[in-house]
């Protein structure tokens, strides 16, 4: 695909009404792409209202209502698109039922791509939580793209966000390889950015279940949504991009960084009273996350 001719390059963002999906949508439009905004019906959120308002004035944007359990509705939204950004997320947060729904949705999206002649690439949004949860996490020196969370551990600890992201990403990879589809996955840390506490409250809290353990084991990290959207588009445009990419701006392993994260999520997470005037403590935990592969993608191409 010739990415220079972006006026005829059409991408689908599914679900565009998620916090990340919306920022990818805006970034694609600003870069000259035409976009199919596929929106799951979850009640009319503020982001969905904004997208529908944008459709009225933006000729390169078309909105589609989709049900990820309805295969045909996905096919309609993919028509004429050469790429899809699969950004499934539950606006109501995660429980055991939502795990199954997200896995089924991911399978349907990838299967639909396999049945659509125009689709050239899938950029699949997953999460660091798909890779960081297991019994021995505190003993591992490096946690990178080769790692996966343990399914039994996640179920026992009721880490539903991690389980949903891990199972849906694994299912997507298995099907993409079986159908010989070109897929790249991005595994971001906790997503922060403008109005995240208002527009992405429950998914944020679902990610943060077990935050104390993530922090103490050096695997709590966050990423700015604008940078993350850029990485997704880079993964689309770089023909050598392949496999999985951990994506984060900062590992939270000191009290100072933990407080910065809390402040960025206010008022979703209140500041502990004892920290209102000054910080105490100097504990520093070992960083275990590695994203060398992402650095190569962002700075000078990519490597498998």
């Amino acid at each position: 695909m010739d990415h220079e001719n972006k006026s005829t390059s059409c991408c689908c963002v599914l679900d565009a009404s998620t916090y990340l999906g919306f920022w990818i949508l805006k970034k694609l439009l600003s870069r000259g792409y035409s976009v199919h905004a596929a929106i799951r019906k979850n009640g009319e959120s503020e982001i969905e209202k904004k997208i529908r308002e944008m459709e009225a004035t933006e000729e390169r944007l078309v909105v589609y209502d989709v049900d990820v359990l309805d295969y045909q509705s996905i096919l309609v939204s993919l028509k004429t698109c050469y790429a899809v950004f699969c950004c499934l997320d539950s606006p109501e947060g995660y429980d055991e039922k939502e795990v199954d729904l997200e896995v089924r949705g991911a399978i349907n999206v990838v299967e639909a791509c396999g049945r659509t002649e125009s689709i050239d690439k899938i950029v699949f949004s997953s999460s660091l939580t798909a890779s960081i949860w297991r019994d021995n996490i505190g003993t591992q020196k490096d946690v990178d793209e080769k790692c996966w969370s343990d399914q039994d551990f996640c179920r026992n600890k009721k880490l539903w966000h991690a389980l949903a992201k891990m199972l849906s990403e694994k299912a997507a990879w298995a099907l993409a390889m079986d159908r010989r589809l070109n897929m790249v996955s991005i595994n971001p840390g906790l997503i922060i950015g403008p109005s995240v506490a208002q527009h992405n409250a429950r998914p944020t809290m679902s990610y943060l279940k077990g935050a104390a353990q993530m922090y103490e084991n050096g695997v709590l990290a966050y990423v700015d949504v604008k940078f993350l959207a850029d990485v997704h588009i880079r993964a689309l445009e770089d023909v050598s991009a392949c496999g999985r990419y951990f994506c984060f701006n900062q590992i939270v392993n000191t009290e100072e960084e933990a407080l910065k994260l809390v402040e960025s999520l206010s008022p979703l997470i209140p500041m502990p009273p004892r920290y209102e005037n000054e910080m105490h403590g100097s504990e520093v935990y070992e960083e275990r996350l590695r994203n060398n592969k992402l650095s190569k993608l962002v700075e000078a191409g990519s490597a498998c």
Side-chain angles (χ1 to χ4, degrees):
M1 171 62 66
D2 180 6
H3 298 289
E4 296 302 317
N5 190 12
K6 292 177 181 175
S7 63
T8 59
S9 296
C10 187
C11 302
C12 179
V13 181
L14 193 169
D15 176 357
S17 66
T18 61
Y19 186 67
L20 172 59
F22 180 61
W23 282 94
I24 292 175
L25 164 66
K26 293 207 300 182
K27 182 67 67 172
L28 287 168
L29 290 172
S30 72
R31 292 175 64 115
Y33 287 92
S34 295
V35 181
H36 287 185
I39 296 176
R40 298 166 69 184
K41 295 301 290 182
N42 296 305
E44 196 170 61
S45 67
E46 287 300 315
I47 291 179
E48 182 179 338
K49 290 178 183 177
K50 288 181 181 180
I51 293 173
R52 295 192 186 280
E53 290 170 1
M54 289 167 62
E55 183 186 26
T57 58
E58 177 56 74
E59 62 179 15
R60 289 179 289 110
L61 175 63
V62 181
V63 177
Y64 293 83
D65 292 323
V66 299
D67 177 352
V68 293
L69 301 183
D70 178 1
Y71 183 74
Q72 290 300 320
S73 71
I74 298 172
L75 282 174
V76 171
S77 71
L78 296 179
K79 189 175 182 181
T80 73
C81 293
Y82 84 96
V84 61
F85 293 88
C86 184
C87 310
L88 302 183
D89 217 355
S90 171
E92 299 304 316
Y94 285 85
D95 56 21
E96 192 169 10
K97 180 181 178 182
E98 190 60 39
V99 172
D100 179 61
L101 292 175
E102 188 149 315
V103 173
R104 291 165 63 193
I107 290 172
N108 282 344
V109 172
V110 176
E111 181 64 34
C113 290
R115 299 294 181 91
T116 306
E117 291 184 5
S118 63
I119 293 293
D120 184 61
K121 197 168 196 176
I122 304 168
V123 182
F124 189 92
S125 293
S126 182
S127 174
L128 281 182
T129 61
S131 298
I132 62 176
W133 286 112
R134 66 183 74 80
D135 276 321
N136 66 341
I137 192 68
T139 65
Q140 281 193 255
K141 182 178 181 181
D142 295 334
V143 179
D144 60 17
E145 290 85 357
K146 297 186 293 293
C147 298
W148 291 94
S149 291
D150 180 80
Q151 180 174 166
D152 291 335
F153 183 89
C154 292
R155 287 192 185 279
N156 291 338
K157 300 294 185 180
K158 299 187 182 335
L159 298 166
W160 305 124
H161 181 276
L163 188 63
K165 297 305 179 183
M166 185 269 291
L167 291 178
S168 61
E169 186 190 350
K170 279 195 168 184
W173 273 118
L175 189 56
M177 289 188 285
D178 183 69
R179 300 292 190 270
R180 297 184 179 181
L181 299 173
N182 182 13
M183 184 173 120
V184 174
S185 70
I186 310 297
N187 294 67
L190 179 70
I191 302 172
I192 64 171
S195 302
V196 67
Q198 289 74 39
H199 296 316
N200 204 43
R202 291 182 179 176
T204 296
M205 297 307 294
S206 291
Y207 185 107
L208 286 172
K209 184 171 184 180
Q213 290 78 14
M214 284 190 269
Y215 172 57
E216 292 168 4
N217 286 298
V219 293
L220 177 60
Y222 60 84
V223 61
D224 180 80
V225 69
K226 297 177 184 179
F227 173 73
L228 181 57
D230 280 336
V231 167
H232 277 72
I233 296 173
R234 180 60 186 267
L236 167 67
E237 295 179 342
D238 191 328
V239 295
S240 63
C242 55
R244 310 173 80 206
Y245 290 88
F246 278 11
C247 185
F248 54 87
N249 297 122
Q250 179 67 49
I251 298 174
V252 180
N253 68 328
T254 67
E255 191 170 80
E256 182 180 5
E257 283 298 336
L259 293 176
K260 285 181 182 178
L261 179 59
V262 170
E263 288 175 346
S264 72
L265 296 175
S266 177
L268 190 59
I269 300 177
M271 179 68 74
R274 73 187 184 97
Y275 294 130
E276 287 180 353
N277 297 319
E278 60 179 313
M279 295 185 299
H280 301 277
S282 57
E283 190 85 50
V284 177
Y285 296 102
E286 181 182 357
E287 295 182 1
R288 301 186 191 280
L289 292 170
R290 304 289 179 262
N291 66 344
N292 298 335
K293 191 180 173 190
L294 178 75
S295 299
K296 294 178 182 179
L297 173 68
V298 172
E299 294 170 8
S302 62
C304 290

